[in-house]
Amino acid sequence: MIRVACATLFFLFSFVYLYYYQADVLTVAQHVLSGGKTQYSRFVGALLITLVLFLLQLGISSVAKMTTYTHALTYFPSMLALAFLTSVGTSVDQGVSFGSWVWVLPLLLLIFAVVFWLVKSFGFYEPSKVGRGFFTQPMWVNLLMMFLMMLIVGGVGNADTPFHYRLKVERYLAQGKYDTALQVGRRSLVCDSSLMMLRAYAMSRKGKLGDALFQYPICGGADALLPDGNHVKTLLYDKQNIYAHLGKLVVTKNTPFRKYMATIKKHDLDKRPAAEYLLCAYLLDRKLDEFVANVVKYYDLSETLPRHYREALTLYNYLHAQHPVKFDDEVMDADYQDYLKLEKQISDKTKRVNKLRDVYGNTYWYYYWQRH
């Protein structure tokens, strides 16, 4: 029963951990190691890795004869291998680095070998007679060791939340599932510039950039709208698709947003995606004057505008009361007055910021004032 319980627990943990949590990490690792020539299958990969690690355990168990209190330790090398496989760093695109594994892995294997030798030679803590059944001390000792090893694997494996979000978004972008990509980490406040860039692209493909950009955490200004090969980049998704979407021929190098937009400003801004990127870039940099000067080139202000553009125009008129732009939205005006009232009601800065984020965190006003 101990062997069955440990085997079942290992199979469930390993497969679920690999299939649901670390599949994208292993995908990008294989992509880098193979130079993009092979593709990782999350189901086949999770199943094969689990089977190979279980066979490793069977071999160790058949030699070690750890059958009672220490049987779970026969899974230690398999758990160690699982931790090693999923400890891929976020800079994997720059090359696979073993880091501290160079000395940690041999040390842990040496410790296991010592325990293995003690049990094999002296029957250390392996009594010949123990109670049988699920509710016995040996059973719970083994289950406790299994859970401890699972916690260690989870702690050692890549648990960088923005990194996991980015890889999931890239996978959905490659499948053309833009709405699904935008649901990844939808309610989370964690972000990085690469994740923001990918979300902006997904919004643009759905024609929602001006409506939804500030409904997500913002990391970086306008420069985070396009890959730069450094802090803003893709790992799996072809970045040329992003440039092509904006109406420019394929570029061969990572081109920062400002430089790229400067090259197409006179030619491709009649195409809506590029124009939307430019307008949102002005908003990200809080350049309301430039935004107002350009938004009239692509929109009739008497018509219904994207949400964040209406918010920006409302804010502009508030800041330029003596020379407002010809834009009127009574509902938006009332909402902004409510924002200002709420801001004045709370004197404590931390409480004020938290309350404003809860109520208006998805507006351009919150971004403009709280980042100002």
Side-chain angles (χ1 to χ4, degrees):
M1 289 189 68
I2 291 176
R3 290 196 296 270
V4 171
C6 289
T8 302
L9 197 58
F10 175 77
F11 260 98
L12 289 175
F13 171 74
S14 178
F15 184 83
V16 171
Y17 181 66
L18 293 170
Y19 183 83
Y20 289 102
Y21 188 60
Q22 296 289 6
D24 294 311
V25 172
L26 293 177
T27 297
V28 73
Q30 179 166 321
H31 178 79
V32 171
L33 290 172
S34 68
K37 297 179 180 179
T38 61
Q39 189 173 8
Y40 178 81
S41 170
R42 59 188 303 167
F43 177 80
V44 175
L47 184 60
L48 284 179
I49 292 174
T50 299
L51 287 174
V52 169
L53 295 181
F54 182 67
L55 290 175
L56 173 62
Q57 183 275 333
L58 286 179
I60 294 173
S61 180
S62 64
V63 176
K65 306 299 181 183
M66 297 176 177
T67 57
T68 52
Y69 282 95
T70 57
H71 176 72
L73 290 179
T74 61
Y75 285 90
F76 181 78
S78 298
M79 290 290 196
L80 186 60
L82 189 59
F84 174 74
L85 287 173
T86 57
S87 63
V88 178
T90 56
S91 58
V92 61
D93 58 310
Q94 300 174 15
V96 178
S97 173
F98 295 104
S100 58
W101 281 109
V102 173
W103 63 270
V104 171
L105 189 60
L107 177 62
L108 292 176
L109 289 176
L110 177 61
I111 294 173
F112 175 77
V114 171
V115 175
F116 178 96
W117 177 77
L118 288 173
V119 174
K120 180 112 177 115
S121 301
F122 304 104
F124 177 71
Y125 209 51
E126 288 292 324
S128 58
K129 294 183 179 181
V130 294
R132 294 181 176 275
F134 190 81
F135 298 100
T136 61
Q137 188 180 52
M139 174 66 77
W140 293 107
V141 169
N142 278 278
L143 292 181
L144 176 61
M145 286 191 289
M146 291 294 292
F147 279 116
L148 287 175
M149 287 188 287
M150 288 189 290
L151 287 174
I152 293 173
V153 171
V156 172
N158 188 307
D160 187 286
T161 301
F163 186 66
H164 280 265
Y165 286 164
R166 285 166 51 192
L167 297 180
K168 285 185 179 180
V169 170
E170 290 192 44
R171 170 158 54 89
Y172 289 131
L173 290 179
Q175 297 171 0
K177 298 179 179 179
Y178 304 112
D179 286 323
T180 307
L182 290 173
Q183 292 303 313
V184 176
R186 182 70 178 85
R187 300 183 181 278
S188 174
L189 294 178
V190 300
C191 179
D192 64 20
S193 54
S194 295
L195 179 58
M196 174 187 150
M197 177 268 296
L198 293 168
R199 284 171 169 167
Y201 171 66
M203 293 175 205
S204 182
R205 292 301 298 257
K206 297 297 296 183
K208 298 179 179 178
L209 189 59
D211 286 301
L213 179 61
F214 296 96
Q215 295 182 21
Y216 293 82
I218 301 297
C219 298
D223 285 330
L225 287 174
L226 286 179
D228 63 7
N230 187 17
H231 300 295
V232 189
K233 55 189 174 183
T234 62
L235 295 175
L236 296 171
Y237 190 68
D238 188 353
K239 64 179 181 292
Q240 305 298 351
N241 293 330
I242 302 175
Y243 291 113
H245 170 64
L246 295 180
K248 180 73 174 176
L249 295 177
V250 173
V251 290
T252 57
K253 297 181 179 180
N254 293 300
T255 307
F257 176 81
R258 299 174 201 281
K259 182 178 179 181
Y260 180 80
M261 293 303 292
T263 63
I264 64 174
K265 191 171 183 179
K266 296 180 180 180
H267 305 288
D268 293 322
L269 288 187
D270 57 324
K271 298 181 179 180
R272 183 51 58 87
E276 298 289 2
Y277 265 70
L278 181 65
L279 294 175
C280 285
Y282 288 135
L283 294 183
L284 287 167
D285 287 347
R286 301 177 195 80
K287 296 181 178 179
L288 288 178
D289 291 333
E290 287 86 344
F291 169 78
V292 170
N294 282 273
V295 71
V296 295
K297 298 178 181 179
Y298 311 110
Y299 288 95
D300 182 347
L301 300 190
S302 64
E303 299 178 353
T304 302
L305 303 178
R307 173 183 171 178
H308 296 317
Y309 297 173
R310 289 183 283 124
E311 293 169 346
L313 289 169
T314 299
L315 176 60
Y316 178 86
N317 282 344
Y318 172 81
L319 296 174
H320 300 77
Q322 300 301 321
H323 304 284
V325 68
K326 292 183 179 180
F327 169 76
D328 184 35
D329 189 323
E330 294 182 359
V331 175
M332 193 63 67
D333 287 338
D335 286 343
Y336 186 60
Q337 292 303 318
D338 290 339
Y339 174 92
L340 295 176
K341 290 178 182 178
L342 181 60
E343 188 176 37
K344 294 178 180 179
Q345 288 174 359
I346 306 174
S347 58
D348 183 86
K349 182 178 180 180
T350 301
K351 293 182 179 179
R352 180 172 64 250
V353 170
N354 289 336
K355 185 63 176 180
L356 288 172
R357 183 175 60 239
D358 291 341
V359 182
Y360 295 99
N362 60 352
T363 67
Y364 180 65
W365 308 322
Y366 178 82
Y367 172 82
Y368 183 90
W369 288 117
Q370 299 309 317
R371 295 292 188 91
H372 213 41

